[in-house]
Structure formats: structure tokens, C-alpha cells
Amino acid sequence: MKKSLILWLLMTVLAVFSLPAALILADSGKEKILITEEILSGNPAEAEGIVLRIPSHWRRQLLWDTEYTIGEGKTESSFIFSSGQVSWKEPEVKCRADLQIQNSFGTSFGPGVTSLSWESGGVYAIVNSVVQRTESGETHTEVIRLGDYSPSYPLDFSMTTGFSIEYEGDYMQAIDYLSDFFHIRTAEDIAQVTVEKNTRGEITKVAFQHFDTDEDVEIINAATDGGRGIYFVYGLRNVETGEFADRGQNRGIFYFPYEEDTRGFRKTDLTQVRKQQDFTDNIIPAEMLTDDEGKFLFLAAEDEEGYSLLVYRLEGEMPVLTRRIPVKADHSSFCQMSLEAGGILLTWDDNSFSFVTEEKGQYRQWCSGTFPESSIPFSREHVCIFDGKRLTLAAYENWYGLNVLLAVYDEYGQTYSGRYVHSGNEDTDAGYDYDTLSRIMPQGVREGQSVSIWSWGMRDGGFAEPLEIFRRSEQLP
């Protein structure tokens, strides 16, 4: 009998018969879960004593917790049945600050609107000028040079944090202030504006399209919460070439202070932004973090040589550069930077990584390498332990299964890699890998990974947090 049918029958038993008897029946099969080790390269003794903990579920009601100790070949499982579907904690919201060029315009207008009367400039001023040149009953299109209206791009700005945030003062005036503050030149960029009016002279349609050119630029942002304010950095990248673009913009590390009120809301006045550090190098930010103690700020950034990690010591709110560490000498697509016990892990979408450690207050690259290439999720979700001599990395083999890939590294490179096959992946009823309703799946929530069924497979939504690795002697009670 196929596994999905067996699980369905088990669910029926749990629903119909008494819960204690049903749990005994279900629990009796837990020892049948097996983890099989496949050595891919190196010496498996490098991973001896490491425990893989793989929590899994079927339809969020049948829940298994399976542990496998490398070197012992021993699998242990526990089982829980939930009468209702279990939900898992969503990943915490990361701090974000997004500075973007205004390049679109709303097209919804009520009856009787004859003009656009916003007092702010930017796109509104450009569109309003075309409105004035459009006759009743006419659809009028113009291609305009943005620099004829403003030397700097009109910008949009927003923050996202784990807390509710309020912008003090007039938001549109603050946006105009930031457009002048960052002053990204419009240069020779152009846009097309279309305005449609009915026979009564009322606006029925407005369209604003920023034309792509060989010099078209995009804004790349990075931000982190500093405890009493948001650190923010951005760079301009040429859309066509991917290289740094110079539009005379204000460059550096910026700081938006905030205050927290009695409701737990954070309040900020965007016009109080301060420039804390100046940039002279042509860098494009990848990600920025502060350490848990608020003593350091880390900025992963790309330049013409590749990627570097910039380490800043925080003196109050002021970041002071202490080290610039080259971490990758090419232009692969950056994925993320994470603070781990004993170091900082940076990953790229080609499954390469760099691990940076701190020794006596000084940071250095401890090792770099490539995780086994068959692992799709590694660059975005992984687990990591470091004992000062060995770095152990693990990740699910793919988005929809329970197999785990694990690799061990010393300072000079990889010393072992292995594949750990979970017997729950033997279900062939699913037919397709993305049919998650018929499969035993990892517990947890993935953020932003709802993927097309024709690409990587799919699952609920970045980080399947429950996957764990640890040494048995280090397991917390």
C-alpha cells in the first residue's frame, strides 16, 4: 500500500477511535523512520558526534521529531498527533529601508477631476505640466527630459521594521527633502507621459513611464536597526552593465534616529537624517548588520574587484571603519549575511560561502568554499556550528524534501561532505515533487519562497528553522 494512503488511513483512525489507542497505534511505527548516510567526499570521521535533528510533518497534523547521530548510525524518533493543523512561528521581520526612484503614477481618478493639484514636485509636477497641455476630449502623449523639470530624481522612501513605525511631519515634504538630500542626478534620462481627458475636460487616465536607456540606474539598499535609529546605505547600479553608476549622489552611511513611545511605536522624522560616514570608493551594498551587543556594524559590499566585508566599530552612533576584508573575487549574485556563533557567514547563489571570525577584537576570513552543489536551499537557509577548528554547515537538499546535505571545513577547505537520506522521502504517491499535500515535509515556515511549480518546487513560505545540528555533548537540556 502506498505511503500516502497509509497516512490517510492513519489519520482516519486517529479521528474515529479513542485518542490514546490511536496514539499507541501511530507511535508504534515511529522507529521505522530511518536516516541513511551516503559519503560524498572526504573522511566521515570529521563529522562524528554531530547530531542531525529533522522535524517533519504530514498535513500539519502528524508530527515527527527525528535525530540521527553521525558515526553511530543511530536514528531516534518521537511522534505527536495534533487534532488541529499546527502553525509555526513566522520568521522575524528584518529591518529594511527602501529608497526608490519614482517611476510610476496612479491612474484612478474620481469624476469631475480637472487637474492634479498636489503641491509636491517630482512626478506630480511633471505629469501636471502635461495635463495643462492636454485639450478636452484628447489623449496626449509627450516624451520629456526629466532634467528639464528637476536636476535630481524624485524619490520614494519607506522603512520596514519588526515594530510599527510612524513618520512625523508632512510625509510628502519629507520625501522632497530626501530627494534633495540624496540628489541623484536625472542627467539625460527621459520619460513618456500620457494624459487622457473626456469632452468635459476631466482627467480619465494618466500614465507615466520612465524609459530604460543605456545609462538607466537602479538603487540598491541595505539597512539595519541600531537600537535608537536605522543605519542606511545605498548605491547606484547601471541596469545594463551591473556596474556602479555615478550620478553625483550623496554617498555614505546614513542614520535615521527614532524614538519609541508608550505604545511601542517608533516615531521618526525623515528630515533628521544624518550622514555618519562618507564613501569615496565605488561600492554597491549587499547587506548590513549590527552585532547583538551593538558594538560593531558589518557591511557586505560589492566593488569592481568583487565582494568585501567592511567592519565598523560603533562609537556611540558613529561607525568607524576598522577592517576591509576581501571575501569573494568575482561578481556572483549575493544572497545573505548572517551572524553565527563564532563568526559571520556570507553566502552567494552559486552555493559559495565565506566565513569570517573574530580573534582578539580583529576580524579575518577564516575559510571559504562551496557547499555541495545539489543543495538548492543552502544559500538562503542553513544551519552552522563552529568549534574554532571545524566549520560544519548543513541544509535541506531541496525545497520540498527531508534529505540533508552536510559538509565540514577547516581553514584550508572541505574535509568531508555527506548526504543523509530520510526514509520519509520514499513516498511516490505525490507524482510531482511540488505536490506538498501528499508528502512528508519539514516543519516550519519558509519566507518568500513560494516558488512556481515549474521551477524549484514549492512550500509555504525563507527559513525552515527547525533543522538543527549540534554535538551531543553540547545539547541544551
Side-chain angles (χ1 to χ4, degrees):
M1 186 178 293
K2 293 183 179 180
K3 187 175 298 182
S4 291
L5 180 56
I6 294 172
L7 290 171
W8 180 83
L9 291 173
L10 180 57
M11 290 286 285
T12 303
V13 170
L14 291 170
V16 174
F17 295 99
S18 66
L19 184 59
L23 286 177
I24 292 172
L25 175 62
D27 196 54
S28 64
K30 69 183 182 181
E31 299 301 335
K32 295 181 180 180
I33 293 179
L34 297 176
I35 305 294
T36 304
E37 180 183 66
E38 296 180 0
I39 299 172
L40 300 179
S41 67
N43 182 3
E46 292 289 318
E48 280 188 4
I50 290 177
V51 180
L52 300 177
R53 179 176 175 268
I54 309 172
S56 59
H57 75 96
W58 189 70
R59 298 199 175 190
R60 298 179 180 263
Q61 286 186 267
L62 301 180
L63 310 173
W64 291 268
D65 195 344
T66 302
E67 292 186 357
Y68 176 84
T69 304
I70 298 175
E72 297 179 7
K74 181 179 179 182
T75 305
E76 297 178 350
S77 288
S78 58
F79 170 85
I80 297 175
F81 168 72
S82 173
S83 58
Q85 287 194 331
V86 174
S87 296
W88 290 284
K89 182 181 177 182
E90 295 284 342
E92 293 183 3
V93 176
K94 287 188 176 182
C95 174
R96 290 179 57 89
D98 293 310
L99 182 70
Q100 298 295 335
I101 293 171
Q102 291 183 16
N103 59 7
S104 62
F105 193 84
T107 58
S108 178
F109 298 93
V113 177
T114 57
S115 66
L116 304 176
S117 57
W118 287 273
E119 295 180 357
S120 61
V123 170
Y124 298 118
I126 296 170
V127 172
N128 203 46
S129 68
V130 180
V131 168
Q132 304 307 315
R133 294 190 290 273
T134 303
E135 302 294 333
S136 299
E138 179 186 17
T139 298
H140 178 60
T141 298
E142 291 186 18
V143 175
I144 56 97
R145 177 181 176 273
L146 299 178
D148 292 339
Y149 293 85
S150 173
S152 301
Y153 263 111
L155 301 174
D156 288 321
F157 186 82
S158 64
M159 291 183 183
T160 303
T161 69
F163 298 81
S164 297
I165 194 160
E166 292 182 352
Y167 302 112
E168 295 184 308
D170 186 304
Y171 177 76
M172 295 308 298
Q173 290 181 4
I175 291 301
D176 288 343
Y177 175 86
L178 293 180
S179 297
D180 291 336
F181 179 81
F182 292 118
H183 53 76
I184 301 171
R185 289 200 307 262
T186 51
E188 298 302 315
D189 291 357
I190 58 177
Q192 178 177 282
V193 180
T194 298
V195 175
E196 180 184 280
K197 288 184 179 180
N198 60 23
T199 55
R200 296 186 298 275
E202 298 166 348
I203 301 169
T204 56
K205 180 181 179 181
V206 170
F208 178 95
Q209 181 183 1
H210 178 220
F211 277 3
D212 292 340
T213 69
D214 291 343
E215 298 299 322
D216 196 31
V217 297
E218 61 180 339
I219 301 177
I220 308 300
N221 304 282
T224 189
D225 194 338
R228 294 186 177 181
I230 304 298
Y231 289 98
F232 171 73
V233 61
Y234 76 99
L236 294 185
R237 182 164 61 193
N238 184 294
V239 174
E240 182 70 21
T241 66
E243 297 176 351
F244 175 85
D246 187 356
R247 289 293 186 90
Q249 65 269 21
N250 191 3
R251 292 191 275 163
I253 298 177
F254 304 93
Y255 186 74
F256 291 86
Y258 61 71
E259 294 182 356
E260 190 168 340
D261 63 19
T262 55
R263 302 168 298 166
F265 280 57
R266 294 182 176 185
K267 303 168 68 175
T268 183
D269 181 347
L270 298 179
T271 64
Q272 298 303 304
V273 58
R274 301 194 292 268
K275 187 175 184 178
Q276 303 291 70
Q277 274 289 339
D278 195 18
F279 283 156
T280 56
D281 295 340
N282 298 337
I283 65 172
I284 299 172
E287 188 168 355
M288 185 161 56
L289 295 173
T290 50
D291 70 330
D292 293 337
E293 298 178 353
K295 294 181 178 180
F296 289 92
L297 182 149
F298 307 102
L299 173 62
E302 184 181 11
D303 60 20
E304 58 271 12
E305 302 297 327
Y307 289 89
S308 296
L309 177 65
L310 284 70
V311 180
Y312 294 86
R313 184 179 66 254
L314 290 175
E315 298 182 355
E317 298 169 355
M318 183 68 68
V320 178
L321 183 65
T322 61
R323 289 292 306 275
R324 181 168 184 162
I325 306 168
V327 290
K328 189 171 175 62
D330 64 35
H331 298 281
S332 302
S333 179
F334 182 82
C335 188
Q336 69 173 356
M337 173 170 60
S338 57
L339 300 179
E340 308 288 350
I344 304 166
L345 184 67
L346 302 95
T347 61
W348 287 264
D349 280 348
D350 62 358
N351 265 11
S352 62
F353 71 90
S354 175
F355 190 69
V356 174
T357 60
E358 180 267 334
E359 297 174 4
K360 298 180 180 180
Q362 296 294 317
Y363 286 85
R364 70 178 182 95
Q365 179 175 260
W366 190 81
C367 78
S368 62
T370 302
F371 195 72
E373 293 183 4
S374 57
S375 174
I376 297 168
F378 164 73
S379 56
R380 296 194 176 275
E381 60 176 51
H382 47 256
V383 285
C384 168
I385 55 174
F386 178 63
D387 63 7
K389 295 181 180 180
R390 289 173 296 182
L391 174 69
T392 304
L393 302 173
Y396 287 116
E397 185 177 33
N398 50 51
W399 293 120
Y400 44 80
L402 292 163
N403 295 343
V404 173
L405 289 171
L406 180 142
V408 182
Y409 303 83
D410 62 17
E411 288 191 69
Y412 307 102
Q414 187 181 104
T415 59
Y416 170 71
S417 66
R419 180 171 180 256
Y420 295 85
V421 180
H422 193 292
S423 61
N425 277 354
E426 296 172 0
D427 186 5
T428 58
D429 286 0
Y432 296 98
D433 288 333
Y434 57 78
D435 185 2
T436 60
L437 293 179
S438 300
R439 298 179 64 91
I440 299 175
M441 300 290 295
Q443 293 180 24
V445 176
R446 279 191 165 129
E447 177 187 22
Q449 294 298 330
S450 183
V451 185
S452 166
I453 60 177
W454 303 115
S455 54
W456 301 113
M458 69 181 193
R459 192 150 66 110
D460 289 346
F463 300 98
E465 293 178 349
L467 176 62
E468 294 181 29
I469 56 174
F470 56 87
R471 295 189 179 277
R472 181 69 70 181
S473 59
E474 299 170 355
Q475 183 178 16
L476 295 175

